[in-house]
Protein backbone atom coordinates (compact mmCIF):
# COMPACT_ATOMS: atom_id res chain seq x y z
CA UNK A 1 0.00 0.00 0.00
CA UNK A 2 3.02 2.34 0.53
CA UNK A 3 3.63 5.07 -2.01
CA UNK A 4 0.14 4.80 -3.53
CA UNK A 5 -2.02 7.82 -4.32
CA UNK A 6 -5.59 7.57 -5.59
CA UNK A 7 -6.91 10.75 -7.22
CA UNK A 8 -10.61 11.37 -7.79
CA UNK A 9 -11.04 14.23 -10.22
CA UNK A 10 -11.56 15.84 -13.59
CA UNK A 11 -10.06 15.47 -17.01
CA UNK A 12 -10.66 18.15 -19.62
CA UNK A 13 -8.66 19.30 -22.63
CA UNK A 14 -6.96 22.67 -22.12
CA UNK A 15 -7.24 25.04 -25.06
CA UNK A 16 -4.90 27.95 -24.27
CA UNK A 17 -4.73 31.27 -26.10
CA UNK A 18 -2.13 33.99 -25.49
CA UNK A 19 -3.20 37.57 -26.22
CA UNK A 20 -2.40 41.12 -25.14
CA UNK A 21 -5.76 41.45 -23.39
CA UNK A 22 -9.15 39.81 -22.90
CA UNK A 23 -11.74 40.48 -25.62
CA UNK A 24 -14.95 42.27 -24.61
CA UNK A 25 -18.30 40.52 -25.22
CA UNK A 26 -19.07 40.78 -28.95
CA UNK A 27 -15.44 41.57 -29.83
CA UNK A 28 -12.87 39.47 -31.75
CA UNK A 29 -9.16 40.10 -31.19
CA UNK A 30 -6.02 38.54 -32.65
CA UNK A 31 -3.91 36.40 -30.30
CA UNK A 32 -0.22 35.48 -30.53
CA UNK A 33 -0.12 31.78 -29.61
CA UNK A 34 -2.34 28.72 -29.21
CA UNK A 35 -1.82 25.33 -27.54
CA UNK A 36 -4.02 22.30 -26.92
CA UNK A 37 -3.13 19.66 -24.33
CA UNK A 38 -4.30 17.49 -21.43
CA UNK A 39 -5.72 19.36 -18.43
CA UNK A 40 -8.32 19.22 -15.68
CA UNK A 41 -7.21 19.66 -12.09
CA UNK A 42 -7.59 15.97 -11.19
CA UNK A 43 -5.63 14.65 -14.15
CA UNK A 44 -2.95 17.36 -13.80
CA UNK A 45 -2.48 16.36 -10.16
CA UNK A 46 -2.28 12.69 -11.19
CA UNK A 47 0.50 13.52 -13.68
CA UNK A 48 2.30 15.60 -11.02
CA UNK A 49 2.08 12.80 -8.44
CA UNK A 50 3.22 10.11 -10.91
CA UNK A 51 6.20 12.17 -12.09
CA UNK A 52 7.04 12.89 -8.44
CA UNK A 53 7.45 9.16 -7.88
CA UNK A 54 4.11 7.84 -6.58
CA UNK A 55 2.20 4.85 -7.85
CA UNK A 56 -0.98 6.63 -9.02
CA UNK A 57 -4.56 5.55 -9.76
CA UNK A 58 -6.82 8.08 -11.43
CA UNK A 59 -10.61 7.85 -11.04
CA UNK A 60 -12.79 9.89 -13.40
CA UNK A 61 -14.93 9.55 -16.52
CA UNK A 62 -14.21 10.48 -20.13
CA UNK A 63 -16.10 9.89 -23.37
CA UNK A 64 -14.94 7.62 -26.17
CA UNK A 65 -14.09 10.68 -28.28
CA UNK A 66 -10.92 12.44 -29.47
CA UNK A 67 -10.44 14.26 -26.14
CA UNK A 68 -11.09 11.03 -24.20
CA UNK A 69 -8.45 9.26 -26.30
CA UNK A 70 -5.97 12.05 -25.48
CA UNK A 71 -6.76 11.47 -21.79
CA UNK A 72 -6.13 7.74 -21.93
CA UNK A 73 -2.94 8.18 -24.00
CA UNK A 74 -1.66 10.74 -21.44
CA UNK A 75 -2.28 8.42 -18.47
CA UNK A 76 -0.70 5.46 -20.27
CA UNK A 77 2.42 7.50 -21.11
CA UNK A 78 2.75 8.58 -17.46
CA UNK A 79 2.25 5.09 -16.01
CA UNK A 80 -1.01 6.14 -14.32
CA UNK A 81 -3.47 3.33 -13.61
CA UNK A 82 -6.84 4.45 -14.99
CA UNK A 83 -8.75 1.18 -14.70
CA UNK A 84 -11.26 2.90 -12.38
CA UNK A 85 -12.02 5.56 -15.01
CA UNK A 86 -15.22 4.78 -16.85
CA UNK A 87 -16.67 5.86 -20.17
CA UNK A 88 -19.45 8.44 -20.40
CA UNK A 89 -21.97 9.12 -23.16
CA UNK A 90 -21.43 12.84 -22.51
CA UNK A 91 -18.57 14.43 -24.49
CA UNK A 92 -15.24 14.96 -22.72
CA UNK A 93 -14.98 18.53 -21.45
CA UNK A 94 -12.63 21.40 -22.19
CA UNK A 95 -11.13 24.46 -20.53
CA UNK A 96 -10.68 27.76 -22.35
CA UNK A 97 -7.51 29.28 -20.87
CA UNK A 98 -6.87 32.91 -21.77
CA UNK A 99 -3.30 34.01 -20.99
CA UNK A 100 -2.05 37.57 -20.76
CA UNK A 101 1.08 37.43 -22.95
CA UNK A 102 2.94 39.96 -20.75
CA UNK A 103 2.05 39.00 -17.17
CA UNK A 104 1.24 35.31 -17.72
CA UNK A 105 -1.97 35.89 -15.72
CA UNK A 106 -4.88 33.66 -16.71
CA UNK A 107 -8.67 33.61 -16.96
CA UNK A 108 -10.24 30.15 -17.30
CA UNK A 109 -13.67 28.73 -18.20
CA UNK A 110 -14.08 25.00 -17.51
CA UNK A 111 -16.90 22.91 -18.99
CA UNK A 112 -16.28 19.56 -17.27
CA UNK A 113 -18.47 17.40 -19.54
CA UNK A 114 -17.98 13.63 -19.16
CA UNK A 115 -16.20 13.69 -15.79
CA UNK A 116 -19.14 15.53 -14.21
CA UNK A 117 -21.34 12.45 -14.80
CA UNK A 118 -19.40 10.44 -12.19
CA UNK A 119 -21.92 9.60 -9.45
CA UNK A 120 -21.61 8.86 -5.70
CA UNK A 121 -22.88 5.31 -6.41
CA UNK A 122 -20.03 4.74 -8.87
CA UNK A 123 -17.55 6.00 -6.27
CA UNK A 124 -19.07 3.68 -3.65
CA UNK A 125 -18.63 0.76 -6.06
CA UNK A 126 -14.90 1.55 -6.10
CA UNK A 127 -14.63 1.55 -2.28
CA UNK A 128 -12.16 -1.41 -2.11
CA UNK A 129 -9.64 0.49 -4.27
CA UNK A 130 -10.07 3.68 -2.20
CA UNK A 131 -9.59 1.75 1.07
CA UNK A 132 -6.40 0.17 -0.30
CA UNK A 133 -4.53 3.41 -1.11
CA UNK A 134 -2.26 5.29 1.29
CA UNK A 135 -3.26 8.80 0.18
CA UNK A 136 -6.57 9.96 -1.35
CA UNK A 137 -6.67 13.33 -3.17
CA UNK A 138 -9.68 15.22 -4.63
CA UNK A 139 -10.60 18.67 -5.96
CA UNK A 140 -13.95 20.36 -6.73
CA UNK A 141 -14.30 19.95 -10.51
CA UNK A 142 -16.67 17.00 -9.91
CA UNK A 143 -20.14 17.12 -8.26
CA UNK A 144 -19.76 17.79 -4.51
CA UNK A 145 -21.69 14.64 -3.51
CA UNK A 146 -19.34 12.53 -5.65
CA UNK A 147 -16.30 14.08 -3.96
CA UNK A 148 -17.92 13.64 -0.53
CA UNK A 149 -18.54 9.93 -1.21
CA UNK A 150 -14.84 9.38 -1.96
CA UNK A 151 -13.61 11.34 1.05
CA UNK A 152 -16.01 9.51 3.40
CA UNK A 153 -14.81 6.07 2.27
CA UNK A 154 -11.16 7.12 2.58
CA UNK A 155 -11.63 8.71 6.03
CA UNK A 156 -13.55 5.66 7.38
CA UNK A 157 -10.69 3.42 6.24
CA UNK A 158 -7.98 5.57 7.85
CA UNK A 159 -6.55 6.65 4.49
CA UNK A 160 -4.84 10.09 4.53
CA UNK A 161 -7.20 12.53 2.78
CA UNK A 162 -6.31 15.71 0.87
CA UNK A 163 -8.87 18.14 -0.51
CA UNK A 164 -7.90 20.95 -2.88
CA UNK A 165 -11.12 23.06 -2.89
CA UNK A 166 -10.60 24.30 -6.44
CA UNK A 167 -12.42 25.93 -8.02
CA UNK A 168 -14.19 27.33 -4.95
CA UNK A 169 -17.97 27.32 -5.56
CA UNK A 170 -19.57 30.78 -5.82
CA UNK A 171 -22.26 29.79 -3.31
CA UNK A 172 -21.33 27.75 -0.26
CA UNK A 173 -23.66 24.76 0.21
CA UNK A 174 -23.76 23.03 3.65
CA UNK A 175 -22.14 20.03 1.98
CA UNK A 176 -18.86 21.96 1.85
CA UNK A 177 -18.66 21.91 5.64
CA UNK A 178 -18.74 18.12 5.59
CA UNK A 179 -15.99 18.11 2.93
CA UNK A 180 -13.78 20.37 5.07
CA UNK A 181 -14.27 18.03 8.07
CA UNK A 182 -13.20 15.05 5.97
CA UNK A 183 -9.85 16.60 4.96
CA UNK A 184 -6.62 15.68 6.76
CA UNK A 185 -4.98 18.32 4.55
CA UNK A 186 -7.12 21.11 3.12
CA UNK A 187 -5.18 23.03 0.42
CA UNK A 188 -6.84 26.22 -0.90
CA UNK A 189 -5.09 29.09 -2.70
CA UNK A 190 -5.57 32.69 -1.52
CA UNK A 191 -8.71 33.29 -3.59
CA UNK A 192 -10.35 30.02 -2.51
CA UNK A 193 -9.51 30.63 1.17
CA UNK A 194 -11.03 34.14 0.94
CA UNK A 195 -14.23 32.83 -0.72
CA UNK A 196 -14.61 29.96 1.74
CA UNK A 197 -14.03 32.03 4.89
CA UNK A 198 -15.25 35.48 3.84
CA UNK A 199 -11.92 36.83 5.18
CA UNK A 200 -9.32 38.83 3.24
CA UNK A 201 -6.11 36.89 2.47
CA UNK A 202 -3.60 39.55 1.45
CA UNK A 203 -0.90 39.14 4.12
CA UNK A 204 0.65 36.24 6.04
CA UNK A 205 -1.23 37.32 9.20
CA UNK A 206 -4.51 37.26 7.28
CA UNK A 207 -3.58 33.86 5.78
CA UNK A 208 -3.08 32.54 9.34
CA UNK A 209 -6.49 33.84 10.39
CA UNK A 210 -8.18 32.28 7.34
CA UNK A 211 -6.38 28.98 7.95
CA UNK A 212 -7.52 29.06 11.60
CA UNK A 213 -11.12 29.61 10.45
CA UNK A 214 -10.82 26.50 8.25
CA UNK A 215 -9.26 24.50 11.12
CA UNK A 216 -12.20 25.67 13.24
CA UNK A 217 -14.57 24.23 10.65
CA UNK A 218 -12.96 20.81 10.98
CA UNK A 219 -9.97 20.53 8.63
CA UNK A 220 -7.13 18.71 10.46
CA UNK A 221 -4.37 20.71 8.74
CA UNK A 222 -4.51 23.60 6.27
CA UNK A 223 -1.94 24.48 3.62
CA UNK A 224 -2.74 27.86 2.12
CA UNK A 225 -0.80 28.39 -1.11
CA UNK A 226 0.35 31.96 -1.61
CA UNK A 227 1.65 32.06 -5.19
CA UNK A 228 5.19 33.45 -5.47
CA UNK A 229 5.23 33.95 -1.66
CA UNK A 230 5.16 30.17 -1.09
CA UNK A 231 2.69 28.47 1.24
CA UNK A 232 1.58 28.38 4.86
CA UNK A 233 1.15 25.06 6.69
CA UNK A 234 -1.11 25.62 9.69
CA UNK A 235 -1.97 22.92 12.23
CA UNK A 236 -3.53 23.62 15.66
CA UNK A 237 -1.74 26.83 16.60
CA UNK A 238 1.48 26.03 14.73
CA UNK A 239 2.56 27.74 11.51
CA UNK A 240 5.28 26.77 9.07
CA UNK A 241 5.98 29.14 6.21
CA UNK A 242 7.30 27.23 3.20
CA UNK A 243 9.16 29.51 0.76
CA UNK A 244 8.59 29.40 -3.00
CA UNK A 245 11.51 28.21 -5.12
CA UNK A 246 13.08 30.22 -7.92
CA UNK A 247 13.81 27.66 -10.64
CA UNK A 248 14.21 30.19 -13.47
CA UNK A 249 12.15 32.80 -15.31
CA UNK A 250 8.39 32.39 -14.71
CA UNK A 251 6.61 31.54 -17.96
CA UNK A 252 3.12 30.35 -17.00
CA UNK A 253 1.68 29.77 -13.53
CA UNK A 254 -1.46 27.90 -14.68
CA UNK A 255 -1.34 24.50 -12.99
CA UNK A 256 1.04 25.60 -10.19
CA UNK A 257 -1.57 24.60 -7.61
CA UNK A 258 -1.95 21.21 -9.32
CA UNK A 259 1.83 20.66 -9.31
CA UNK A 260 1.85 21.50 -5.59
CA UNK A 261 -1.06 19.19 -4.64
CA UNK A 262 0.10 16.22 -6.76
CA UNK A 263 3.69 16.42 -5.53
CA UNK A 264 2.53 16.93 -1.91
CA UNK A 265 0.38 13.78 -2.11
CA UNK A 266 3.29 11.79 -3.59
CA UNK A 267 5.69 12.98 -0.89
CA UNK A 268 3.24 12.18 1.93
CA UNK A 269 2.68 8.71 0.44
CA UNK A 270 6.44 8.14 0.43
CA UNK A 271 6.50 8.77 4.19
CA UNK A 272 7.66 12.40 4.36
CA UNK A 273 6.42 14.68 7.16
CA UNK A 274 3.83 17.33 6.25
CA UNK A 275 6.47 20.11 6.32
CA UNK A 276 8.92 18.04 4.26
CA UNK A 277 6.19 17.15 1.76
CA UNK A 278 5.15 20.81 1.47
CA UNK A 279 8.76 21.84 0.75
CA UNK A 280 8.99 19.10 -1.90
CA UNK A 281 5.67 20.32 -3.36
CA UNK A 282 6.88 23.92 -3.40
CA UNK A 283 9.97 22.89 -5.37
CA UNK A 284 7.81 20.93 -7.84
CA UNK A 285 5.47 23.89 -8.34
CA UNK A 286 8.45 26.26 -8.66
CA UNK A 287 9.72 24.21 -11.61
CA UNK A 288 6.27 23.92 -13.21
CA UNK A 289 5.87 27.72 -13.47
CA UNK A 290 9.00 27.94 -15.65
CA UNK A 291 7.31 25.80 -18.34
CA UNK A 292 4.27 26.23 -20.60
CA UNK A 293 1.08 24.21 -20.25
CA UNK A 294 -0.44 22.43 -17.26
CA UNK A 295 0.07 18.63 -17.21
CA UNK A 296 3.10 18.89 -19.57
CA UNK A 297 4.80 21.35 -17.15
CA UNK A 298 4.93 18.89 -14.22
CA UNK A 299 8.51 18.02 -13.18
CA UNK A 300 9.98 14.56 -12.51
CA UNK A 301 11.24 13.48 -9.08
CA UNK A 302 14.95 13.76 -10.06
CA UNK A 303 14.47 17.41 -11.12
CA UNK A 304 12.63 18.23 -7.89
CA UNK A 305 15.35 16.60 -5.77
CA UNK A 306 18.08 18.41 -7.73
CA UNK A 307 16.39 21.78 -7.02
CA UNK A 308 15.97 20.90 -3.33
CA UNK A 309 19.64 19.87 -3.08
CA UNK A 310 20.94 23.10 -4.56
CA UNK A 311 18.62 25.41 -2.55
P1 LIG B 1 -3.05 28.04 -10.42
O1 LIG B 1 -4.51 28.32 -10.20
O2 LIG B 1 -2.34 29.10 -11.22
O3 LIG B 1 -2.78 26.66 -10.87
P2 LIG B 1 -2.99 28.36 -7.65
O4 LIG B 1 -3.52 29.77 -7.59
O5 LIG B 1 -3.90 27.25 -7.29
O6 LIG B 1 -2.30 28.10 -9.02
P3 LIG B 1 -0.71 29.32 -6.24
O7 LIG B 1 -0.90 29.65 -4.81
O8 LIG B 1 -0.62 30.46 -7.20
O9 LIG B 1 -1.79 28.24 -6.64
O10 LIG B 1 0.61 28.47 -6.43
C1 LIG B 1 0.78 27.20 -5.84
C2 LIG B 1 2.23 27.05 -5.42
O11 LIG B 1 3.06 27.16 -6.59
C3 LIG B 1 2.73 28.14 -4.48
O12 LIG B 1 2.45 27.82 -3.13
C4 LIG B 1 4.22 28.15 -4.79
O13 LIG B 1 4.87 27.11 -4.07
C5 LIG B 1 4.26 27.82 -6.29
N1 LIG B 1 4.33 29.05 -7.10
C6 LIG B 1 3.30 29.76 -7.62
N2 LIG B 1 3.73 30.84 -8.30
C7 LIG B 1 5.09 30.80 -8.22
C8 LIG B 1 6.14 31.63 -8.70
N3 LIG B 1 5.89 32.73 -9.44
N4 LIG B 1 7.43 31.27 -8.43
C9 LIG B 1 7.71 30.15 -7.71
N5 LIG B 1 6.76 29.33 -7.22
C10 LIG B 1 5.47 29.65 -7.46
O1 LIG C 1 -5.55 24.14 -12.43
C1 LIG C 1 -5.44 24.31 -13.81
C2 LIG C 1 -6.51 23.58 -14.52
O2 LIG C 1 -7.76 24.14 -14.20
C3 LIG C 1 -6.40 23.64 -16.02
O3 LIG C 1 -5.64 22.57 -16.55
C4 LIG C 1 -7.84 23.65 -16.50
O4 LIG C 1 -8.17 22.43 -17.09
C5 LIG C 1 -8.67 23.91 -15.25
O5 LIG C 1 -9.44 22.83 -14.92
Amino acid sequence: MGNTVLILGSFVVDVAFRAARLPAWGETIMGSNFALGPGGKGSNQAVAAARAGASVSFFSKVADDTFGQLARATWAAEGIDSTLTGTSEVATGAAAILLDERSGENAIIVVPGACFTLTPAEVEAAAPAIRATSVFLAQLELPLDTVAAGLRIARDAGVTTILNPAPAPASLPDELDELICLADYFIPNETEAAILTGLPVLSIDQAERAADALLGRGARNVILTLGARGSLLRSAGESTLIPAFNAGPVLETTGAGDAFCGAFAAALASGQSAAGAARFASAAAGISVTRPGTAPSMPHRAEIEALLNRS
Side-chain angles (χ1 to χ4, degrees):
M1 153 165 161
N3 222 18
T4 54
V5 177
L6 192 149
I7 298 173
L8 173 68
S10 59
F11 174 87
V12 298
V13 164
D14 285 350
V15 191
F17 298 85
R18 276 179 198 272
R21 63 177 176 84
L22 292 176
W25 287 114
E27 185 190 21
T28 300
I29 62 169
M30 302 293 279
S32 55
N33 187 265
F34 162 82
L36 183 148
K41 291 181 192 301
S43 181
N44 291 345
Q45 294 181 17
V47 171
R51 290 189 182 178
S55 173
V56 177
S57 293
F58 186 55
F59 188 6
S60 188
K61 260 188 168 182
V62 290
D64 186 12
D65 54 12
T66 311
F67 285 2
Q69 284 154 16
L70 173 63
R72 292 194 185 276
T74 300
W75 303 327
E78 302 293 341
I80 294 168
D81 179 350
S82 63
T83 46
L84 290 173
T85 292
T87 303
S88 172
E89 292 303 312
V90 173
T92 308
I97 302 183
L98 305 177
L99 295 164
D100 182 316
E101 62 196 13
R102 278 162 301 196
S103 68
E105 235 190 321
N106 63 46
I108 303 180
I109 301 173
V110 184
V111 177
C115 62
F116 217 74
T117 66
L118 190 61
T119 64
E122 287 168 320
V123 171
E124 275 145 25
I130 295 173
R131 291 191 194 109
T133 191
S134 35
V135 173
F136 176 86
L137 167 61
Q139 320 72 29
L140 298 183
E141 281 183 342
L142 298 183
L144 292 187
D145 55 354
T146 298
V147 176
L151 284 167
R152 252 182 248 125
I153 295 164
R155 166 58 62 84
D156 288 349
V159 169
T160 300
T161 57
I162 306 173
L163 179 61
N164 170 220
S171 67
L172 299 178
D174 292 344
E175 217 165 1
L176 253 183
D177 274 317
E178 189 200 351
L179 293 183
I180 295 173
C181 287
L182 289 170
D184 291 323
Y185 294 93
F186 190 73
I187 313 186
N189 67 13
E190 293 152 293
T191 312
E192 290 144 8
I195 292 173
L196 294 170
T197 62
L199 298 169
V201 186
L202 300 170
S203 66
I204 304 295
D205 283 351
Q206 289 178 344
E208 275 187 350
R209 280 194 281 279
D212 283 345
L214 294 165
L215 290 174
R217 278 162 70 182
R220 287 190 177 159
N221 303 274
V222 172
I223 303 179
L224 216 160
T225 64
L226 303 162
R229 286 182 297 172
S231 54
L232 176 77
L233 166 62
R234 184 89 173 149
S235 327
E238 231 181 79
S239 276
T240 312
L241 199 55
I242 315 285
F245 283 75
N246 180 353
V250 175
L251 186 63
E252 188 185 324
T253 62
T254 321
D258 296 336
F260 187 99
C261 292
F264 179 75
L268 270 191
S270 76
Q272 291 203 45
S273 66
R279 190 162 175 271
F280 181 87
S282 189
I287 297 171
S288 79
V289 300
T290 65
R291 300 172 177 171
T294 53
S297 74
M298 302 306 170
H300 290 88
R301 183 176 196 94
E303 302 171 275
I304 304 168
E305 284 174 346
L307 176 59
L308 286 166
N309 287 337
R310 63 173 188 268
S311 299

